[in-house]
Amino acid sequence: MRRRHLRQVMRIETEAYPRPWSVGLFMSELSLRSSRDYFVAKTQGAIVGYAGMMTHADETHVTNIAVSSAWQRHHVATRLMIQLLRAALRRGTTSLTLEVRMSNHAAQALYYRFGFAPAGTRKNYYPETGEDALIMWAHDIDTPAYAERVAAVARRIPGTTVWAM
């Protein structure tokens, strides 16, 4: 993701979240290259999704994944998750964590496919609705067993190249 992508990213952000991040927050995140990675998914020149993460030591926190409603159920989030995993591995990460809305069962299903498991909840995490967040973790992402798990996910996506660590 680059600054030039933010107008299209913000369209998706405001569509996906009742309390969207600001352009300023995205610009701040993009400036922290030593610990942040952000990606966009494009089709025919249009951005249809994005994802981001921050890394500290050997842990990476997935900050966001969002896909335009017109492109949901087209494996965009899965492809973005694969990109996040690749970036996390390049940074030496062994574990990933994230929060997801308790009501977002589609996102939870995606994370389960990638080996995330529930680890707790954050009460009233989303202030605009008071909804709780499910905390999920995926450990040992640097192992051959995890690489095979991701390769299996990738093989189910039409047109995806083989996963490699």
Side-chain angles (χ1 to χ4, degrees), residues 11-143:
R11 276 189 230 140
I12 298 168
E13 177 77 3
T14 57
E15 176 187 336
Y17 300 109
R19 190 173 179 192
W21 281 14
S22 67
V23 171
L25 181 53
F26 274 106
M27 288 188 354
S28 174
E29 287 288 296
L30 292 176
S31 72
L32 299 169
R33 296 201 183 281
S34 65
S35 62
R36 307 295 201 272
D37 290 283
Y38 283 83
F39 301 94
V40 294
K42 287 180 162 185
T43 185
Q44 300 174 345
I47 293 173
V48 298
Y50 62 91
M53 63 182 221
M54 65 179 172
T55 301
H56 179 71
D58 64 347
E59 296 178 357
T60 291
H61 181 92
V62 177
T63 56
N64 46 24
I65 296 180
V67 176
S68 168
S69 60
W71 282 91
Q72 291 177 2
R73 311 308 260 170
H74 289 89
H75 309 288
V76 175
T78 303
R79 292 171 197 257
L80 286 165
M81 181 59 80
I82 290 170
Q83 289 303 315
L84 290 176
L85 287 164
R86 287 180 173 150
L89 289 169
R90 283 192 301 270
R91 289 187 178 273
T93 293
T94 60
S95 298
L96 290 169
T97 188
L98 54 81
E99 293 93 7
V100 59
R101 290 179 186 275
M102 290 294 231
S103 63
N104 193 343
H105 301 293
Q108 290 174 36
L110 169 72
Y111 304 140
Y112 282 121
R113 282 195 304 276
F114 281 96
F116 283 81
T121 59
R122 294 194 197 283
K123 294 291 183 190
N124 303 312
Y125 185 74
Y126 299 99
E128 66 280 358
T129 62
E131 187 172 0
D132 296 346
L134 178 64
I135 303 165
M136 300 182 82
W137 280 88
H139 296 286
D140 302 322
I141 69 163
D142 58 338
T143 64

